[in-house]
Amino acid sequence: MGAARKRILTGDRPTGRLHLGHYVGSLRNRLSLQDEYECFFIIADLHTLTTRPDKSHISAVGENVREMLLDYLAVGIDPDRSVIFLQSGIPETYELNLIFEMLVSVPRLERVPSLKEMATTASLESMPLGLLGYPVLQAADILLPRATLVPVGKDNEAHVEVTREIARRFNRLYGEVFPIPDALIGDVPSLVGTDGKAQMSKSRNNTIDLADDPATVRTKVMGMFTDPARVHADIPGRVEGNPVFIYHEAFNPNLEQVEDLKQRYREGKVGDVEVKQHLLEALNEFLDPIRDRRAKFMRTPSIVEDILIAGTKRMRDEAIETMSLVREAMGMYRLPL
Ligand code: ATP
Ligand code: MG
């Protein structure tokens, strides 16, 4: 028997379409590791409940799952090589989550910075137990397929740290069942949104989506925040921390042009509109092949469901196997039902 390939688990909450932040934070790493690793990509619909438990949001999940899966295919995730599955289709997730809840303390979770931020962004008055447990549920996701690598954005690094602690604790108490997974942070660990204020994120209305058409991208880029101190094009501008230049660096392969624009911007010799015009061209060049592939996949109506059903079945087999290892290691009492 050949050595089994090591595994990746990562994924996204079906709260909307994927955006440029997902691409540089996590998708690019997923694409480059598809052959080297056996990849499990989770569409984390249960995690959506942590901040959006109301029915109006639940009813949007189906459509979001579809859009997100089309985005995966459009960027080049290959369902023949990688497993794409729906979190709620794996009942063992709830089971392992409960066991893991015993292995981490409340104060430890209260120190995870992103959770408070998520509660604020979602305008929650107080912290739900489930949101505090977000990283615990994530640990169940990561460890069910016994993944060793987790490609995520910077905001998720602290969550993977909780997974590592839970895995160590479990192994110490019951025996070596789980690997201790590493986070793999993308080239741009946290891409700022078009508002220039916070990380690009579906909940903040500051995204450029992978599926946006050219007219939408134009509107978003032209409305982008730049250097607020620069009221005229002949005033020297700030390049550092300026989202327009951050996007140029991340998506414009013409390095010479980027350097030239930066220099002229600093000297007050180029207007915002010209810089944005070049960015628009670079973004469209990056997005065009993604748009084309998306349109192609959309022509097969059953594609999303077929892929999800096959992937969820495949993941389910892994989950069942892991749970039997878990119960055996723990020596859990079982009724002979
Ligand atoms: P939500 O607003 O619902 O939280 P989101 O846009 O923040 O959505 P998530 O589903 O939370 O997206 O994140 C999925 C993955 O993409 C995570 O690994 C996260 O770290 C990464 N990611 C999301 N936004 C960015 C970003 N702006 N820069 C880098 N990585 C990101
Ligand atoms: Mg998020």
Side-chain angles (χ1 to χ4, degrees):
M1 202 175 79
R5 268 184 308 161
K6 287 192 164 185
R7 288 182 175 165
I8 275 179
L9 181 125
T10 188
D12 311 274
R13 303 203 295 172
T15 45
R17 288 174 166 181
L18 296 181
H19 51 67
L20 296 177
H22 293 118
Y23 194 87
V24 291
S26 168
L27 287 171
R28 187 144 58 197
N29 276 333
R30 299 184 206 179
L31 294 170
S32 66
L33 295 170
Q34 262 190 124
D35 285 321
E36 197 181 327
Y37 284 78
E38 188 177 6
C39 293
F40 291 81
F41 299 131
I42 183 171
I43 301 191
D45 57 339
L46 298 176
H47 270 105
T48 301
L49 298 173
T50 61
T51 48
R52 302 182 174 199
D54 45 299
K55 239 181 148 174
S56 62
H57 282 123
I58 295 173
S59 65
V61 165
E63 186 51 28
N64 289 340
V65 168
R66 181 182 162 72
E67 294 288 335
M68 191 170 270
L69 205 134
L70 285 168
D71 286 338
Y72 283 171
L73 300 177
V75 296
I77 288 180
D78 175 3
D80 290 333
R81 284 184 284 167
S82 300
V83 179
I84 305 173
F85 70 98
L86 187 68
Q87 185 184 29
S88 62
I90 311 295
E92 289 73 19
T93 307
Y94 302 73
E95 226 179 316
L96 193 57
N97 176 61
L98 182 132
I99 291 170
F100 285 172
E101 279 173 347
M102 316 304 158
L103 307 181
V104 62
S105 75
V106 170
R108 171 66 184 91
L109 294 171
E110 282 171 342
R111 286 199 303 274
V112 178
S114 51
L115 302 177
K116 274 190 214 103
E117 242 178 75
M118 271 192 262
T120 312
T121 309
S123 313
L124 303 177
E125 275 165 30
S126 56
M127 176 64 75
L129 178 58
L131 181 54
L132 191 63
Y134 192 106
V136 183
L137 186 56
Q138 205 171 335
D141 299 333
I142 294 168
L143 295 174
L144 266 179
R146 283 162 281 149
T148 56
L149 194 66
V150 190
V152 282
K154 185 81 182 161
D155 60 338
N156 261 268
E157 198 173 28
H159 299 185
V160 179
E161 190 48 44
V162 173
T163 298
R164 293 164 59 84
E165 288 168 23
I166 289 175
R168 279 198 210 99
R169 183 97 201 276
F170 185 99
N171 290 349
R172 206 164 50 236
L173 285 174
Y174 307 118
E176 292 284 325
V177 171
F178 296 114
I180 311 300
D182 290 307
L184 176 68
I185 309 299
D187 303 338
V188 183
S190 171
L191 187 72
V192 69
T194 50
D195 56 2
K197 291 198 186 94
Q199 164 164 317
M200 182 179 285
S201 112
K202 291 179 237 116
S203 334
R204 285 202 180 94
N205 205 16
N206 63 358
T207 66
I208 293 178
D209 296 348
L210 299 177
D212 278 344
D213 60 30
T216 308
V217 177
R218 162 173 286 278
T219 309
K220 289 181 176 177
V221 167
M222 289 305 166
M224 262 178 87
F225 176 95
T226 54
D227 177 349
R230 201 166 182 255
V231 284
H232 290 293
D234 54 1
I235 299 175
R238 257 182 80 86
V239 164
E240 287 70 31
N242 185 329
V244 176
F245 283 100
I246 292 173
Y247 291 9
H248 261 296
E249 276 175 6
F251 297 100
N252 188 347
N254 186 345
L255 302 180
E256 229 172 277
Q257 182 184 66
V258 176
E259 272 319 304
D260 172 61
L261 288 172
K262 275 187 187 171
Q263 198 179 333
R264 288 199 283 139
Y265 198 81
R266 286 195 184 104
E267 293 166 358
K269 289 185 180 153
V270 63
D272 278 15
V273 174
E274 188 183 335
V275 180
K276 287 180 170 178
Q277 191 60 43
H278 286 299
L279 175 61
L280 197 58
E281 280 160 26
L283 285 180
N284 280 328
E285 223 152 280
F286 168 74
L287 292 172
D288 272 341
I290 298 177
R291 292 179 181 128
D292 290 349
R293 279 195 297 267
R294 201 175 203 278
K296 193 188 85 194
F297 288 117
M298 278 176 77
R299 287 199 284 273
T300 312
S302 65
I303 195 163
V304 167
E305 223 167 69
D306 291 348
I307 290 171
L308 262 189
I309 290 173
T312 305
K313 280 186 178 156
R314 169 80 182 78
M315 179 58 223
R316 184 88 207 278
D317 293 341
E318 288 304 325
I320 289 170
E321 194 182 320
T322 300
M323 281 316 296
S324 79
L325 294 173
V326 164
R327 283 189 220 99
E328 199 181 317
M330 294 175 76
M332 276 176 97
Y333 173 65
R334 299 204 77 192
L335 284 178
L337 284 170

